[in-house]
Amino acid sequence: MKILISSRSDQALKTLESLIAGGGYQEIEGILMMNGARDPLSVVDYRPDVLVMHASDHLVEELQSLAARQKRDRPAIIVVGDQLPADATRYAMRAGARDFIREQDDAELVESLRRLSSELYADQQPAGGKTIAVLNAKGGSGGTFIATNLAHLSATMGGDTAIVDMDFQFAPVPHYFDLTPKRGLLEALANSGELDGTAIGAYAVKHESGLRIFAPIPDAQVAVDFNLGDRMVQVLDVLKHRYERTIIDLPRHLDENSAQLLKSVDEVLLVMQQSLLAVHDAVRLKTVLVNELEIPEERITVIVNRYTKNSTLDTDDIASALDDEDLVLIPNQYKLVAESLDMGEPVVEQAPTSAVSKALVGLQGRVLGQQPQENRSFLAKTVMRLRG
Ligand SMILES: Nc1ncnc2c1ncn2[C@@H]1O[C@H](COP(=O)(O)OP(=O)(O)OP(=O)(O)O)[C@@H](O)[C@H]1O
Ligand SMILES: [Mg+2]
């Protein structure tokens, strides 16, 4: 934290400097304000994080000069002094003063700086990107189809995106993009302790949309003698600080590892089909997610995949069984989806105006809230047209 101290008294300046240095702060500079000087910041060529102002008869003018600056150019201000001139408080507020400390109230000043420093630190911690797990209520419901297409849309529309394939047995995700990873996810997990935002990139295969795919290499000879769940959470933490969005495609059954992952993501997409059996399984799974894994209901989005209007089971019945009025419907387009899978080409690229593509764009808007960037690509423009 860079601290600038301004005073018109040499003695007061020295006292404040040594007091603040005693608090363990290292980047401190004291400036002695001379007669004509008004703005303490004009004396230095950087923007300090905190300005400690020792009050004098010129305090109001100094605060006025500071208040005239743009908000983003002003540091947090602490005013130190016993007798503040009339109007000083008003201008201090305008200039963004955070605290008034009585002279020689050393403990109070140290405490005030500590508070500002922890606020500043909290602001600088990256919040991390959004993480979404996709889970089938029942095997074969289309979880991987939705995870891959959502991730592809996110990347195409300009978001730095990764997809993680947690199906170590079949590793379906790379097939959806007609790609083969050179280094596997298991190897990344084996080295999870040493990974950072740069090193992790080496384990991904890149799709032309910009999407990074982290997937196991089937039959890879990596002995799994560690707790996968713990390591996965560690890798997820690296991924979310590296990518704006990380989408995780989970395998068909819920085990301890996926349970651990589900607890640490921002949002869960629960994919089901339009049948009584699927409703039964989805209700059970949602209960487990909410009651056992303690995932708040508002973080769970239910997707009815392969939806048709002609089904005997309508969406109102599904909505009431799942106690969810906000179902996402993805239409059934068997031929198109099968072709897209066979060719390893995301469906929005293959048939951008199809009903299924439109529904996927809607899903993307709902869970990622992402607007297409102008001039990004043919696809982004198509998406904009679809949205009208
Ligand atoms: N909206 C859709 N319309 C038509 N067919 C679909 C649709 N979504 C998925 N399918 C088909 O369903 C099949 C299974 O989908 P997917 O590849 O996503 O596997 P999955 O449900 O993730 O399976 P697993 O449970 O093994 O993880 C695929 O063959 C795909 O063609
Ligand atoms: Mg799957």
Side-chain angles (χ1 to χ4, degrees), residues 10-279:
D10 197 22
Q11 184 55 43
L13 188 61
K14 288 205 173 80
T15 310
L16 282 170
E17 271 174 338
S18 70
L19 173 67
I20 293 170
Y25 300 100
Q26 275 148 26
E27 294 181 89
I28 306 173
E29 185 172 353
I31 48 163
L32 192 60
M33 300 286 286
M34 297 301 190
N35 291 340
R38 287 292 173 264
D39 182 348
L41 293 183
S42 66
V43 182
V44 292
D45 57 5
Y46 58 90
R47 202 213 78 167
D49 299 305
V50 181
L51 171 64
V52 177
M53 299 176 76
H54 182 245
S56 71
D57 292 347
H58 295 286
L59 181 65
V60 169
E61 290 139 281
E62 288 170 7
L63 289 169
Q64 278 174 326
S65 329
L66 288 165
R69 285 178 173 266
Q70 297 270 1
K71 198 169 174 212
R72 63 168 185 277
D73 296 333
R74 293 192 307 242
I77 295 172
I78 298 177
V79 180
V80 179
D82 284 337
Q83 281 151 3
L84 300 189
D87 278 352
T89 330
R90 185 149 57 93
Y91 287 107
M93 291 302 172
R94 281 189 203 162
R98 302 290 296 275
D99 224 342
F100 298 92
I101 313 277
R102 292 172 70 81
E103 202 138 7
Q104 283 159 6
D105 195 345
D106 299 355
E108 195 54 32
L109 179 59
V110 169
E111 173 54 23
S112 181
L113 284 168
R114 195 202 53 75
R115 256 197 320 269
L116 285 177
S117 149
S118 60
E119 273 175 34
L120 197 74
Y121 183 72
D123 282 353
Q124 282 172 354
Q125 288 300 306
K130 185 162 190 178
T131 51
I132 297 173
V134 183
L135 181 64
N136 269 333
K138 188 177 184 55
S141 305
T144 302
F145 167 69
I146 287 172
T148 49
N149 280 280
L150 183 66
H152 169 258
L153 265 173
S154 167
T156 307
M157 289 161 80
D160 217 0
T161 310
I163 183 165
V164 182
D165 186 345
M166 285 296 288
D167 187 338
F168 290 96
Q169 207 175 354
F170 299 106
V173 170
H175 297 296
Y176 268 89
F177 298 98
D178 194 20
L179 290 169
T180 313
K182 287 200 182 62
R183 296 176 81 188
L185 182 59
L186 270 176
E187 290 148 282
L189 289 163
N191 299 319
S192 61
E194 285 122 55
L195 291 178
D196 60 19
T198 315
I200 189 91
Y203 294 91
V205 53
K206 186 179 172 188
H207 183 250
E208 60 194 14
S209 61
L211 177 67
R212 307 296 160 134
I213 300 158
F214 294 86
I217 299 175
D219 309 322
Q221 297 300 308
V222 181
V224 185
D225 56 356
F226 44 71
N227 179 340
L228 209 57
D230 280 347
R231 300 236 181 183
M232 198 51 229
V233 171
Q234 220 171 11
V235 166
L236 183 63
D237 196 53
V238 176
L239 289 171
K240 74 184 216 188
H241 285 99
R242 165 65 187 82
Y243 300 98
E244 281 171 63
R245 303 192 178 86
T246 302
I247 291 157
I248 304 159
D249 181 34
L250 288 171
R252 64 187 80 174
H253 44 245
L254 195 61
D255 58 12
E256 273 173 40
N257 296 324
S258 38
Q260 208 172 336
L261 256 185
L262 281 163
K263 282 164 82 104
S264 44
V265 295
D266 299 316
E267 197 151 339
V268 178
L269 307 186
L270 184 57
V271 182
M272 63 181 289
Q273 292 198 14
Q274 195 179 8
S275 75
L276 270 177
L277 205 55
V279 172

Side-chain angles (χ1 to χ4, degrees), residues 22 209 221 290 361 378:
S209 61
Q221 297 300 308
V290 175
V361 170
F378 156 74

